[in-house]
């Protein structure tokens, strides 16, 4: 009989000399829970690997080499600052040292 996530069994007669029937049953239940947990972890790893392969295929299809590159990143910051904040940028950099803020 199954109750929640725990498996509850009738007490099984111990097949190990010196171990009580109750301890034998609890040991069997613990082994079953650990096996179920390991199976779930393995299934999650397999699913993660499948998703990673699908992502790599999609990226190759779209022409990207790495998923860490931001395709929307603005790469010409100095030009942008000079174009939009020219006088203010010049005034600000006049008061700064090469190390940063003073």
């Amino acid at each position: 009989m199954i109750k929640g996530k725990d498996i509850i069994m009738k007490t099984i007669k111990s097949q190990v000399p010196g171990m009580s029937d109750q301890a034998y049953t609890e040991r069997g239940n613990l082994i079953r829970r650990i096996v179920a947990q390991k199976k779930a972890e393995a299934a999650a790893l397999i699913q993660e690997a499948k998703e990673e392969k699908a992502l790599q295929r999609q990226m190759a299809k779209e022409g990207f080499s790495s998923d860490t590159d931001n395709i929307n990143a603005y790469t010409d910051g100095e030009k942008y600052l000079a174009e939009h904040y020219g006088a203010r940028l010049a005034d600000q950099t006049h008061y700064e040292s090469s190390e940063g803020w003073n």
Side-chain angles (χ1 to χ4, degrees), residues 56-90:
Q56 294 300 326
R57 282 194 308 269
Q58 184 66 26
M59 286 176 47
K61 182 179 176 183
E62 294 178 5
F64 298 109
S65 60
S66 171
D67 64 346
T68 59
D69 296 336
N70 183 356
I71 62 170
N72 299 315
Y74 193 80
T75 58
D76 200 6
E78 294 295 325
K79 181 180 175 185
Y80 178 84
L81 287 173
E83 182 180 332
H84 295 282
Y85 300 99
R88 292 185 70 194
L89 177 65

Side-chain angles (χ1 to χ4, degrees), residues 26-96:
E26 289 173 1
R27 179 174 168 244
N29 289 338
L30 177 63
I31 291 170
R32 284 180 189 80
R33 277 196 304 263
I34 291 171
V35 166
Q37 180 182 8
K38 294 295 181 185
K39 282 182 182 178
E41 289 173 1
L45 287 174
I46 290 170
Q47 182 63 30
E48 186 177 329
K50 285 180 183 178
E51 290 172 0
E52 182 64 27
K53 282 184 179 180
L55 175 64
Q56 294 300 326
R57 282 194 308 269
Q58 184 66 26
M59 286 176 47
K61 182 179 176 183
E62 294 178 5
F64 298 109
S65 60
S66 171
D67 64 346
T68 59
D69 296 336
N70 183 356
I71 62 170
N72 299 315
Y74 193 80
T75 58
D76 200 6
E78 294 295 325
K79 181 180 175 185
Y80 178 84
L81 287 173
E83 182 180 332
H84 295 282
Y85 300 99
R88 292 185 70 194
L89 177 65
D91 289 341
Q92 183 65 37
T93 55
H94 174 71
Y95 294 108
E96 291 178 7

